[in-house]
Amino acid sequence: MDGTVLVADDDRTIRTVLTQALTRAGCKVHATSSLTTLMRWVAEGKGDVVISDVMMPDGNGLEMLPKISQERPNLPVIVISAQNTIMTAIQAAEAKAYDYLPKPFDLPDLMKRTARALETSARSAPRAVEEPERPDELPLVGRTPAMQALYRLVARVMNTELPVLISGESGSGKSLIARAIHDFSDRRTLPFVTVTSNDLETLEGPAQALAKARGGSLLFDEVGDLSPEAQARVVRMLDSLTDNAPRIMATSQTDLTNRMESGEFRQDLFYRLGGVTIQVPALRERVDDIPLLAAHFLAKAEQDGAPSRQLSDEAEKMVRAYSWPGNVRQLENAMKRLVVTSRESKITQAEVEGVLGNQPSMEPMVSGAPQEKLSASVARHLRRYFDLHGGVLPPPGLYQRILAEIELPLIEIALDATGGNQAKCADLLGINRNTLRKKITDLDIQVTRRRKLM
């Protein structure tokens, strides 16, 4: 790498690590714990790339982005932050940050992004933006890699015109994701309208929903529940949209591909709704977020006038170990009950046992046919891919495209299973470690500190 990097972080260890790594890579580095000093360097014309923390002793790094853009329109800024919520990801995207990484970050990944920023600094042009009013917070809580990936995807799609299909189990937060996309988009001052299958059973239903949305956002809740007649009406509505049409979103807890193949869901509607597909992880897939969510719901109850409550260490372990088949919604309802039924400020293990023992039995949603072989699942997807082209052959290079589609999740899941240890991952896959590193680079896999799957 060749260039000068400005590093602003109040953590001395991070400044030292970045300075040493960037210097070894051939860069010149100016490091500071002060945003005031950073802005002075920017005004003086120093630096080709900025790496900045968000929460600094003398200000907020995100709030400096418009000022940096005004001073140096072609200066890329990479934001790093321990405040790794959806708010941070969206604010970084809206403020035209060149890139955003949550802490703790993977150093090789940050170095690769810095190299890209240095190469493209002449072409990157973040602009100052006027910040419209928006909610102070959204109930999207999570710091696991799965949620961080979801936050980044939401930030990327929120101001596109593509329809969004949000899938996930019941209670996982699909409607909250749709609301976040609307509330942080350029359409936030326009209506957000949710319609259900009952609203679309009449001939006038789709037109009435469209009129209510008025250029805002229109969410079809649990689109898999639509009758064949309602599906046909929605297709006709989508085909008649004008330039002032609302943003179209849909949620589904069922596997629409299976329903499409069985003839229960229209293929043309599926592809009209699925411009971008967002998969919301089940709560059992992000176990490390459970204590954080529980604390969030207890604090929320306290803000609403309930007595202050906290989980004891034993109670937290039990909450963390529970399967939560009803996902985040079930967790929230359990915390509400515990606030009412607990006698002391510390919620005991016995009190958690009492609440969870009365929870209804719920089975998690299972996608695909039971015990379906991988080859059969791949064959289904391939047939659907060919069907999409309506009798015309797909573009050349199909073999490599399909291999890449399979390689990416295989390597990501193998890295998760081995806790991010590339030597173990290479051994598990039966490939050379250098080969694995090359594939990680070629497939642009973000290697972070990963929790080993049990």
Side-chain angles (χ1 to χ4, degrees):
M1 289 190 289
D2 183 25
T4 301
V5 180
L6 308 181
V7 176
D9 198 298
D10 60 345
D11 188 319
R12 178 180 296 178
T13 301
I14 290 179
R15 293 199 307 272
T16 301
V17 168
L18 290 181
T19 298
Q20 292 176 349
L22 290 166
T23 301
R24 284 197 300 266
C27 294
K28 295 180 180 179
V29 182
H30 296 289
T32 180
S33 61
S34 166
L35 285 177
T36 302
T37 301
L38 172 65
M39 294 307 297
R40 176 168 56 81
W41 288 342
V42 170
E44 292 172 353
K46 294 180 179 178
D48 302 300
V49 170
V50 173
I51 300 176
S52 177
D53 192 8
V54 174
M55 302 307 295
M56 299 281 283
D58 56 346
N60 185 305
L62 288 175
E63 294 176 357
M64 295 296 106
L65 285 176
K67 297 178 181 178
I68 293 175
S69 176
Q70 186 176 6
E71 288 280 353
R72 305 269 298 282
N74 297 328
L75 182 62
V77 180
I78 298 174
V79 174
I80 55 176
S81 175
Q83 305 293 319
N84 43 8
T85 67
I86 190 171
M87 292 286 293
T88 310
I90 289 177
Q91 286 172 344
E94 286 191 335
K96 306 299 182 184
Y98 178 84
D99 214 335
Y100 159 72
L101 279 84
K103 292 181 180 178
F105 54 81
D106 181 69
L107 183 58
D109 183 33
L110 177 56
M111 295 294 288
K112 181 171 66 174
R113 293 168 189 254
T114 304
R116 291 177 182 170
L118 287 168
E119 291 172 0
T120 60
S121 60
R123 289 177 287 139
S124 61
R127 301 185 305 273
V129 293
E130 184 178 349
E131 185 71 17
E133 290 186 10
R134 62 186 179 193
D136 291 332
E137 65 173 286
L138 284 168
L140 292 173
V141 178
R143 295 177 180 173
T144 54
M147 289 303 291
Q148 291 303 308
L150 188 147
Y151 295 161
R152 287 193 291 269
L153 181 55
V154 168
R156 287 198 298 269
V157 307
M158 64 184 180
N159 281 321
T160 68
E161 298 299 320
L162 291 171
V164 177
L165 176 61
I166 307 168
S167 60
E169 296 178 8
S170 175
S172 58
K174 300 184 295 296
S175 297
L176 291 179
I177 297 298
R179 187 78 212 198
I181 292 173
H182 173 81
D183 285 349
F184 286 88
S185 73
D186 294 337
R187 301 174 187 259
R188 64 178 66 102
T189 59
L190 298 171
F192 177 86
V193 177
T194 301
V195 293
T196 65
S197 56
N198 291 334
D199 300 318
L200 301 169
E201 289 304 321
T202 64
L203 290 173
E204 301 81 14
Q208 291 173 348
L210 198 61
K212 290 179 182 178
R214 296 195 334 269
S217 296
L218 181 58
L219 173 66
F220 294 100
D221 187 44
E222 294 304 334
V223 71
D225 294 339
L226 296 181
S227 66
E229 295 77 14
Q231 292 177 38
R233 295 186 191 109
V234 173
V235 168
R236 289 193 293 270
M237 184 204 79
L238 296 177
D239 286 342
S240 65
L241 294 179
T242 62
D243 291 340
N244 194 34
R247 172 73 173 273
I248 302 298
M249 292 185 279
T251 65
S252 177
Q253 63 176 301
T254 60
D255 188 338
L256 294 182
T257 57
N258 284 344
R259 299 200 63 186
M260 186 171 59
E261 290 174 356
S262 65
E264 299 177 273
F265 198 82
R266 291 176 63 115
Q267 188 179 65
D268 52 358
L269 178 56
F270 177 82
Y271 293 117
R272 281 168 173 78
L273 293 175
V276 176
T277 300
I278 296 178
Q279 181 70 40
V280 183
L283 191 52
R284 64 182 175 277
E285 296 171 355
R286 51 185 187 111
V287 175
D288 290 341
D289 284 334
I290 292 176
L292 190 67
L293 280 160
H296 168 79
F297 292 133
L298 293 174
K300 181 180 176 183
E302 183 179 353
Q303 290 173 359
D304 293 337
S308 175
R309 293 286 185 267
Q310 290 181 319
L311 293 173
S312 67
D313 292 342
E314 295 78 11
E316 183 177 305
K317 289 179 182 177
M318 174 162 284
V319 168
R320 182 186 174 93
Y322 187 67
S323 62
W324 299 110
N327 289 296
V328 178
R329 185 184 298 127
Q330 184 188 11
L331 175 61
E332 181 176 16
N333 290 336
M335 293 302 108
K336 287 180 178 178
R337 287 190 59 186
L338 286 166
V339 166
V340 175
T341 59
S342 298
R343 298 178 179 180
E344 305 293 338
S345 60
K346 283 282 187 179
I347 298 171
T348 67
Q349 178 179 344
E351 288 169 332
V352 173
E353 287 176 347
V355 168
L356 295 184
N358 294 324
Q359 293 294 310
S361 177
M362 296 176 63
E363 293 297 327
M365 189 66 58
V366 179
S367 300
Q371 298 180 350
E372 182 182 43
K373 291 184 178 180
L374 176 61
S375 59
S377 177
V378 172
R380 285 193 299 106
H381 286 281
L382 287 175
R383 289 192 195 99
R384 189 159 58 246
Y385 178 75
F386 274 86
D387 291 342
L388 273 174
H389 292 80
V392 179
L393 290 176
L398 176 62
Y399 184 79
Q400 291 300 328
R401 289 201 303 274
I402 295 301
L403 284 185
E405 287 284 341
I406 296 174
E407 271 192 322
L408 179 61
L410 173 61
I411 293 175
E412 287 184 330
I413 292 171
L415 283 167
D416 274 329
T418 55
N421 187 310
Q422 294 185 24
K424 289 183 179 180
C425 182
D427 184 60
L428 174 66
L429 295 172
I431 61 177
N432 184 276
R433 187 175 180 183
N434 290 332
T435 302
L436 174 62
R437 287 175 174 170
K438 185 176 186 303
K439 290 184 179 295
I440 289 173
T441 301
D442 292 343
L443 296 172
D444 197 24
I445 296 174
Q446 297 182 15
V447 182
T448 59
R449 297 180 182 179
R450 296 171 181 266
R451 176 178 59 84
K452 186 174 180 179
L453 299 175
M454 302 302 291

